[in-house]
Amino acid sequence: MSNEWPLWEVFIRGQHGMSHRHVGSLHAADAESAMMNARDVYTRRNEGVSIWVVEAAHIAASAPGDKGPLFEPANSKVYRHPTFFDIPDDAGAM
Amino acid sequence: MNRDQALFEFLLRMGDSTLILSHRISEWCGHAPVIEEDIALANTALDLIGQTQFWLELAGEVEGKGRTADNLAHLRDAWDFRNLLLVERPNGDFGKTLMRQFLFDVWQSLMLAKLKGSSDQRIADIAEKASKEVAYHVERSANTVISLGDGTEESHQRMQDALEDLYPYVGEMFIGDKVDEVLVKAGIAPDPASLRAEYDRIVGDVMYKATLQLPEDDFAHQGGKTGRHTEHLGYILADMQFLQRAYPGAEW
Amino acid sequence: MYAQMVKTAGTGVKKPKDMTAEEKAFQAKIDRNEKIEPKDWMPDDYRATLIRQIGQHAHSEIVGQLPEGNWLTRAPTLERKAILLAKVQDEAGHGLYLYSACETLGVSRDELTEMLLNGKMKYSSIFNYPTLNWADMGAVGWLVDGAAIMNQVPLQRTSYGPYSRAMVRICKEESFHQRQGYAIMMKMAAGTADQKRMAQDALDRLWFPSLMMFGPSNKESVHSEQSMAWRIKINTNDELRQKFVDQTVPQIEFLGLTCPDKDIKWNEEKGGYDYTDPDWSEFFAVLKGNGPCNKDRLAARNAAWKNGAWVRDAMLAHARKKAARKAVAA
């Protein structure tokens, strides 16, 4: 068995109430250490108020080859966007 | 001994301990077992340097002779340093460094918790800021001591050796003297002995989790707080003070 | 530039008629300025070259901790010590970001480390020079980081997504490095006679090695053409070196120091300085292992790795024990 510490992906919520965002990776023996390492490595400049760490092996990712079937069908659903609808200015804010 | 004299001594004890420990930790920069630990150690050292600046600046102010934090750090000889002997002990291996850190962190966190209620607002303010930093230091060093103590056979042995080597430098933290008496009376600082029970509880708990055995012999080396140091401090100062000593009066 | 003389894998730029359909699509994507992501198809040579380049860059950050770390315990004031420590710590962070980017290409950090330690991979030649006086802390930040930034800023637009993102983060953090270095130089140059001497001495020793950081002239290199087609190299070595000289000479004058290149001269026609090339035989000697500090630097990294093995093993052993206990309890 390899003795390299597992790879973890780090997600941080910044100061302004946004969602957690992927900021990078690091190595750690377990979740507790990964959390501390994330704090030490990725929040040195006041970057965050909340941290998630996920072991990289546990992330399921979409395959690049599936890009067409996964994402292109949404292209034709333009009616999901508010700009699709023409509402007269006289109707007021909406 | 009047109040300000005692206060000056006390501030040196706090500031010199963080100064010398930060110096020791900074020796690790670029040499730690993994990058993540390298970065973490540097964070701890940076916190301690920041605390040193506060403590020593206040010491200079209380002394009233116009000495700055830098003057105190770089222009006193070993006999005028008041740090705990523990912090001048050589780094040894990574495990020993973290054991020293943990033994110091627990004491420092308890001390700062009391100092937050100091009758001297300047001290309470420093303690308020520092205690947040130190709360993280304890968490991290405790975690590492537990992992290494309860890791492999080799790491367990190394940590047990580190504990036995360093434990005789723990007792000094809790031995009070004239300085402490004056400050306790003025409500400025706690009686050092009053921190011992909680310290023993926390350290005992972590050592249990780390599967390490606390030494039964409670012999305590002393002298740091009154200026009688180990041979190591002189070398630390020779490094640390080199530029200020070799080029007096220069600005950097 | 922390990645020097990275040998591009393959046999030079492929003509479209020699490309497979996959290769054509790949190149078209790069030409459209789209990013290549880890799971995307990529030519083996692209992957191999990136591993060399990012790996060398990462190694340089880590070895680069040592020359500045050399003065940490002798920093002249508490503030200077804190700034220097934060700076050297950043280098460790940058090494970590870059190793992470490299790991997305299918090579582990441990494998990369082993290749650094056994000499199979290189790091920047600059870190094989010693730091001999305190002004070196200024000169390293100002010149060495300055030269690195020249290369890193355009690399934010490199084609490989993880590398590009690491560069963005690094550049954001790096901007303080060069400024703190120059701030030290200003203090020294305006200080006592001894301090001025230190400042000039540091500049004298580090000027030509800094020019070497960009690597030899690569006008005729087919390798670099391929790397440029892949957008993992954005500018030529000579372009970056010229830019660095043009930026730095006025800064030397501002400090009131003397440029170690006695023949440096403004060339109105080209709108830049004519400068003397560094001694490339020295550069190759350093690469071969004969710089003043090669042995010490590698010895220090080897010692750190070897002495840390029991710690890495123990932390993992503890994590596994803990997981096993949890499994039993569940």
Side-chain angles (χ1 to χ4, degrees):
Chain A
M1 204 184 292
S2 160
N3 261 357
E4 182 159 8
W5 293 352
L7 189 68
W8 298 74
E9 300 300 332
V10 181
F11 301 81
I12 290 183
R13 190 203 333 261
Q15 305 287 347
H16 306 295
M18 305 293 276
S19 308
H20 286 74
R21 203 170 68 91
H22 182 244
V23 293
S25 337
L26 49 78
H27 287 271
D30 56 23
E32 288 83 354
S33 323
M35 185 63 79
M36 289 194 211
N37 290 348
R39 180 265 190 198
D40 280 311
V41 172
Y42 287 106
T43 66
R44 304 201 302 286
R45 287 176 171 80
N46 245 329
E47 290 96 333
V49 295
S50 165
I51 301 175
W52 290 347
V53 289
V54 185
E55 199 174 331
H58 292 159
I59 293 184
S62 62
D66 295 342
K67 214 155 96 181
L70 282 182
F71 308 118
E72 272 167 33
N75 285 347
S76 55
K77 294 1 178 237
V78 285
Y79 45 79
R80 282 193 172 123
H81 300 277
T83 46
F84 178 77
F85 304 93
D86 249 340
I87 304 289
D89 290 347
D90 294 344
M94 196 175 290
Chain B
M1 186 179 300
N2 70 30
R3 208 187 89 143
D4 274 355
Q5 285 164 336
L7 185 53
F8 177 65
E9 286 289 312
F10 175 76
L11 291 166
L12 291 184
R13 289 173 183 182
M14 297 302 291
D16 288 344
S17 288
T18 51
L19 171 62
I20 300 303
L21 186 57
S22 71
H23 183 97
R24 278 298 194 210
I25 309 172
S26 75
E27 293 172 13
W28 272 102
C29 187
H31 305 277
V34 284
I35 305 174
E36 285 83 353
E37 295 293 340
D38 209 293
I39 292 171
L41 281 172
N43 274 343
T44 303
L46 285 170
D47 287 342
L48 293 175
I49 294 172
Q51 293 169 19
T52 302
Q53 287 171 308
F54 286 122
W55 291 128
L56 293 187
E57 191 186 296
L58 182 53
E61 198 182 304
V62 167
E63 187 193 34
K65 292 183 186 164
R67 289 203 278 184
T68 64
D70 273 310
N71 293 155
L72 288 168
H74 294 97
L75 298 174
R76 281 176 301 154
D77 202 347
W79 53 33
D80 289 329
F81 273 71
R82 297 293 182 256
N83 58 280
L84 295 166
L85 295 179
L86 175 74
V87 298
E88 64 194 55
R89 300 302 300 160
N91 284 340
D93 63 22
F94 181 80
K96 196 171 193 175
T97 294
L98 265 293
M99 180 62 82
R100 182 186 61 199
Q101 189 67 38
F102 172 70
L103 293 173
F104 178 79
D105 289 344
V106 176
W107 171 80
Q108 201 197 8
S109 70
L110 296 172
M111 179 56 110
L112 291 172
K114 293 275 191 228
L115 291 179
K116 282 201 278 188
S118 172
S119 63
D120 188 321
Q121 193 55 42
R122 299 167 299 181
I123 290 179
D125 289 345
I126 298 173
E128 181 69 38
K129 180 180 184 302
S131 59
K132 287 192 196 108
E133 297 167 345
V134 173
Y136 180 74
H137 298 173
V138 186
E139 194 187 335
R140 182 158 191 119
S141 61
N143 197 58
T144 311
V145 164
I146 292 169
S147 295
L148 296 178
D150 182 36
T152 62
E153 215 172 296
E154 178 186 2
S155 73
H156 176 83
Q157 192 55 52
R158 282 176 184 264
M159 294 311 278
Q160 185 63 44
D161 292 347
L163 178 59
E164 279 163 29
D165 195 61
L166 293 169
Y167 202 67
Y169 296 93
V170 164
E172 184 184 25
M173 299 167 175
F174 308 102
I175 298 169
D177 61 8
K178 202 94 200 134
V179 171
D180 299 301
E181 265 171 46
V182 175
L183 297 182
V184 170
K185 208 169 282 170
I188 293 175
D191 174 5
S194 69
L195 307 175
R196 179 91 213 208
E198 183 65 357
Y199 183 90
D200 285 345
R201 195 190 60 75
I202 297 171
V203 170
D205 182 47
V206 168
M207 291 309 148
Y208 173 76
K209 289 182 180 146
T211 70
L212 298 174
Q213 208 68 45
L214 274 172
E216 278 173 20
D217 188 351
D218 59 358
F219 171 78
H221 289 288
Q222 296 181 56
K225 293 203 281 193
T226 51
R228 264 183 300 110
H229 290 274
T230 68
E231 290 177 347
H232 301 288
L233 185 63
Y235 291 97
I236 292 175
L237 298 186
D239 251 9
M240 193 168 79
Q241 300 181 338
F242 158 64
L243 284 169
Q244 293 275 2
R245 299 289 196 180
Y247 303 98
E251 276 185 50
W252 304 92
Chain C
M1 182 186 301
Y2 287 172
Q4 276 166 338
M5 296 203 55
V6 173
K7 195 171 166 315
T8 309
T11 48
V13 187
K14 270 198 184 167
K15 300 216 165 55
K17 69 177 171 57
D18 300 325
M19 287 184 184
T20 64
E22 271 174 324
E23 287 172 333
K24 263 186 211 154
F26 175 81
Q27 188 62 49
K29 206 168 159 188
I30 289 179
D31 294 340
R32 285 195 306 269
N33 268 332
E34 282 176 35
K35 297 285 185 228
I36 308 299
E37 294 298 338
K39 288 185 145 194
D40 293 340
W41 183 88
M42 62 185 84
D44 291 344
D45 291 341
Y46 175 83
R47 183 187 301 273
T49 308
L50 267 179
I51 290 176
R52 274 180 215 159
Q53 179 172 331
I54 304 174
Q56 192 186 109
H57 195 158
H59 296 329
S60 299
E61 299 282 358
I62 297 302
V63 177
Q65 288 185 271
L66 299 170
E68 287 172 285
N70 180 39
W71 278 88
L72 275 173
T73 58
R74 290 176 291 172
T77 68
L78 295 168
E79 188 183 58
R80 288 285 176 213
K81 185 176 176 138
I83 294 170
L84 183 62
L85 183 54
K87 199 233 160 193
V88 184
Q89 181 196 43
D90 271 352
E91 311 292 358
H94 298 171
L96 188 151
Y97 308 155
L98 287 160
Y99 281 128
S100 300
C102 213
E103 283 174 278
T104 63
L105 292 159
V107 57
S108 75
R109 195 203 288 175
D110 278 8
E111 286 171 313
L112 290 164
T113 303
E114 294 293 344
M115 285 191 274
L116 166 68
L117 298 182
N118 64 25
K120 280 199 189 127
M121 284 182 86
K122 300 273 178 235
Y123 54 89
S124 177
S125 57
I126 191 73
F127 302 118
N128 290 315
Y129 289 87
T131 53
L132 300 177
N133 79 57
W134 172 253
D136 287 33
M137 296 305 97
V140 167
W142 169 40
L143 299 174
V144 175
D145 289 82
I149 291 167
M150 285 284 160
N151 178 45
Q152 289 170 178
V153 167
L155 273 178
Q156 293 179 97
R157 293 178 284 118
T158 188
S159 62
Y160 189 54
Y163 191 21
S164 154
R165 291 189 285 274
M167 278 300 142
V168 168
R169 193 170 182 101
I170 288 173
C171 286
K172 216 162 79 189
E173 296 185 355
E174 192 98 13
S175 53
F176 117 78
H177 294 184
Q178 195 185 11
R179 295 171 74 100
Q180 67 87 31
Y182 199 66
I184 291 178
M185 291 307 278
M186 289 199 301
K187 201 89 183 172
M188 301 294 279
T192 65
D194 284 324
Q195 286 175 306
K196 269 182 214 142
R197 186 177 160 204
M198 288 180 209
Q200 185 65 51
D201 176 57
L203 174 59
D204 288 348
R205 279 181 290 104
L206 287 167
W207 171 259
F208 284 112
S210 296
L211 296 189
M212 290 178 199
M213 286 176 69
F214 299 95
S217 177
N218 56 359
K219 273 173 217 140
E220 294 91 29
S221 163
V222 283
H223 289 303
S224 96
E225 261 176 59
Q226 176 63 80
S227 283
M228 290 177 93
W230 282 334
R231 288 182 70 79
I232 58 182
K233 188 177 171 74
I234 312 283
N235 304 91
T236 68
N237 296 349
D238 291 326
E239 278 168 9
L240 292 172
R241 189 169 17 246
Q242 183 70 51
K243 214 173 150 198
F244 175 74
V245 170
D246 293 344
Q247 173 187 295
T248 309
V249 172
Q251 293 169 347
I252 296 176
E253 285 164 7
F254 182 80
L255 291 172
L257 298 178
T258 310
C259 182
D261 181 353
K262 300 291 171 247
D263 297 321
I264 197 114
K265 215 172 89 212
W266 178 255
N267 180 333
E268 193 60 51
E269 215 169 298
K270 78 170 179 187
Y273 287 90
D274 288 332
Y275 59 90
T276 309
D277 249 359
D279 176 357
W280 292 111
S281 66
E282 177 183 316
F283 172 74
F284 287 110
V286 173
L287 280 200
K288 255 181 74 186
N290 293 323
C293 299
N294 295 56
K295 294 220 165 56
D296 292 346
R297 301 291 184 243
L298 268 188
R301 287 312 309 159
N302 269 291
W305 189 243
K306 195 168 139 266
N307 297 336
W310 72 270
V311 176
R312 296 189 299 274
D313 289 349
M315 303 269 245
L316 197 59
H318 175 73
R320 284 177 182 156
K321 276 190 205 175
K322 216 164 51 171
R325 267 178 240 149
K326 223 170 160 180
V328 169

